[in-house]
Amino acid sequence: MRIVSAEVIVTSPGRNFVTLRLTTEDGVTGLGDATLNGRELAVQSYLENHVVPLLLGSDATRIEDTWQYLYRGAYWRRGPVTMAAVAAVDTALWDIKAKCAGMPLYQLLGGASRTGALAYGHASGRDVPELLDSVRAHLEQGYRAIRIQSGIPGLGPVYGVAAAGTDGADRYDYEPARRAAAGGIPLPVTETWGTRAYLRHVPAVFEAVRAEFGPELPLLHDGHHRMTPIQAARLGKALEPYDLFWLEDATPAEDQAALRLIRQHTTTPLAIGEVFNSVYDYTTLLSERLIDYVRSAVTHTGGITAMRKLLDLADVFGIKSGMHGPTDISPVGMAAALHLDLAIHNFGIQEYMQHSDRTLEVFRTAFTFKDGLLHPSDTPGLGVDLDTEAAAHHPYEPAYLPVNRLADGTMHDW
Ligand code: EZ4
Ligand code: CO
């Protein structure tokens, strides 16, 4: 079954998405997500110029071999652009194989290990009362696990805190990366960061949320890579009384050894890896059991083939999945995650921010969210269709996440 066409579709229904659509000689189509926020066109170019010519005429049934060909066959391995492109090809081939089998993809991965995937949503508030309202709104939507982020006294707007409530057109005002004003140059907004103010405030936020909602609700928190190892150790320790599900991205993620220091000081569970793109980013973390959850996404870590191997390795060390699921992973990438979530044994939790209605008019999804659990549906394949006519109404618009500087102007980490 030969691949006869490979199209890269860039569309921006709320935020930018890069999708690969493969078509076989029998007319079966498969979709793969290649979205890399703020660097979308680099992946588009990598696919169009360096991957599509290799795929045309090749056998769509050979998923493992195609993965190895694109990974081992390239002199330059790994990196976010390369691995997002490989992921898109791999995911599209799995979509095709499952459609040909007439089965939802999770059946080809071993079948369901659970009835649904526990999802967590993003509650946030500029202050604690607003955060408590946001947690309440998430509980009403059915979430059974919630990430909490709050504004910090003394600092201006901080990343991860919605500008106004949780129900805007795109649901999370902070998440659609900010676009340029009409005709303007699209530069990232600069926010001011101060880690000492942050470290003082976070325990009080958890105290207030636990006081209001009790001990049972799983609560998560994201540090967005902004602490030093010793600061993260201190925060983890300070948060122990509040029984976090996890503390995420405590330190800049390229330094695996940093997690050793944090681990020595705290029993707060740790998650990292949403910006990783290969199993090699995890070798120290897994073999020394320095983390509890793997944050990698199918979209950014080489697709279903690579994620399955990574998560199987994590399982050997008792480490679970906690896949990245922001709105800059397309519904195609989200569906791919859900099939894995359902099938693997060592599932932990799935991030689920919910795409905007605009996004869902372009990407028609079959997956469901009910009583706090996500299910990929029993539609053959991934269960996502791309409406290319609707996609064409939303041309690419440059957009970036904010950057951070300290009060004295020093650049700070993402
Ligand atoms: O900020 O992918 O845990 N989730 C996150 C995400 C990232 C987004 C950036 O667009 O940190 O929300
Ligand atoms: Co994160």
Side-chain angles (χ1 to χ4, degrees):
M1 198 172 51
R2 303 280 146 197
I3 297 170
V4 293
S5 121
E7 306 147 88
V8 182
I9 298 136
V10 179
T11 179
S12 189
R15 60 190 309 179
N16 292 309
F17 298 109
V18 182
T19 310
L20 176 70
R21 183 168 65 178
L22 300 181
T23 307
T24 69
E25 58 195 334
D26 314 331
V28 182
T29 59
L31 297 176
D33 181 22
T35 307
L36 196 60
N37 78 54
R39 297 293 184 270
E40 296 89 355
L41 302 189
V43 193
Q44 178 189 18
S45 168
Y46 189 102
L47 281 167
E48 287 180 347
N49 293 307
H50 307 295
V51 174
V52 167
L54 305 178
L55 291 179
L56 295 176
S58 72
D59 183 348
T61 65
R62 299 180 65 184
I63 301 179
E64 177 73 26
D65 183 68
T66 303
W67 195 95
Q68 301 296 344
Y69 181 69
L70 294 175
Y71 182 84
R72 288 178 203 276
Y75 187 74
W76 303 104
R77 296 183 184 185
R78 304 189 282 146
V81 174
T82 301
M83 296 308 280
V86 173
V89 175
D90 183 79
T91 305
L93 292 179
W94 277 108
D95 191 17
I96 288 170
K97 193 177 284 292
K99 281 179 183 170
C100 291
M103 291 179 187
L105 174 55
Y106 72 81
Q107 292 291 3
L108 302 190
L109 301 174
S113 288
R114 56 194 52 78
T115 55
L118 176 67
Y120 74 90
H122 286 200
S124 71
R126 285 165 296 179
D127 54 26
V128 168
E130 204 174 86
L131 171 62
L132 297 180
D133 286 347
S134 175
V135 172
R136 224 167 274 123
H138 279 78
L139 291 172
E140 281 161 18
Q141 283 179 47
Y143 280 106
R144 289 197 212 149
I146 301 182
R147 187 185 96 162
I148 58 174
Q149 309 289 130
S150 123
I152 300 160
L155 297 183
V158 291
Y159 184 74
V161 177
T166 52
D167 219 15
D170 283 293
R171 294 204 172 90
Y172 294 90
D173 286 1
Y174 78 90
E175 258 303 333
R178 285 172 208 150
R179 292 154 188 257
I185 303 166
L187 290 177
V189 168
T190 300
E191 294 179 347
T192 303
W193 181 252
T195 312
R196 293 188 66 230
Y198 166 77
L199 291 175
R200 277 196 305 275
H201 189 56
V202 179
V205 171
F206 272 89
E207 174 74 39
V209 173
R210 280 284 177 231
E212 182 73 14
F213 298 99
E216 190 58 36
L217 179 64
L219 294 177
L220 302 85
H221 180 71
D222 195 340
H224 290 300
H225 311 113
R226 302 211 181 158
M227 288 170 271
T228 63
I230 202 69
Q231 287 170 334
R234 178 180 148 201
L235 182 64
K237 232 169 148 172
L239 294 179
E240 281 171 17
Y242 309 111
D243 186 24
L244 268 64
F245 188 95
W246 78 36
L247 172 62
E248 169 182 349
D249 290 345
T251 47
E254 58 268 57
D255 183 4
Q256 295 185 48
L259 276 293
R260 279 194 199 117
L261 191 144
I262 307 172
R263 204 57 155 179
Q264 280 161 14
H265 290 281
T266 181
T267 57
T268 291
L270 302 173
I272 203 162
E274 70 181 50
V275 298
F276 289 174
N277 53 71
S278 125
V279 67
Y280 298 102
D281 296 323
Y282 285 100
T283 45
T284 303
L285 299 176
L286 299 183
S287 62
E288 296 186 24
R289 302 170 201 263
L290 301 181
I291 57 171
D292 301 280
Y293 297 93
V294 163
R295 289 284 290 146
S296 269
V298 173
T299 303
H300 300 131
T301 314
I304 287 164
T305 297
M307 278 296 287
R308 182 67 197 244
K309 293 178 187 182
L310 164 58
L311 292 170
D312 282 347
L313 179 61
D315 196 25
V316 172
F317 297 100
I319 296 166
K320 293 180 192 258
S321 73
M323 286 183 226
H324 196 204
T327 55
D328 54 330
I329 281 175
S330 87
V332 175
M334 176 59 68
L338 296 181
H339 286 279
L340 260 180
D341 288 339
L342 206 66
I344 57 173
H345 171 68
N346 56 329
F347 169 76
I349 202 165
Q350 172 65 54
E351 184 180 26
Y352 179 50
M353 290 181 66
Q354 301 192 22
H355 292 100
S356 69
D357 294 339
R358 261 191 294 172
T359 299
L360 296 175
E361 280 160 20
V362 172
F363 294 91
R364 307 275 173 186
T365 58
F367 60 75
T368 57
F369 177 55
K370 198 167 169 280
D371 300 328
L373 302 183
L374 285 157
H375 190 286
S377 91
D378 283 322
T379 308
L382 284 173
V384 184
D385 279 324
L386 174 62
D387 181 337
T388 44
E389 234 169 80
H393 291 133
H394 303 281
Y396 172 74
E397 290 179 47
Y400 294 101
L401 296 173
V403 299
N404 300 289
R405 287 184 186 276
L406 304 179
D408 69 357
T410 306
M411 268 307 291
H412 197 59
D413 293 296
W414 231 122

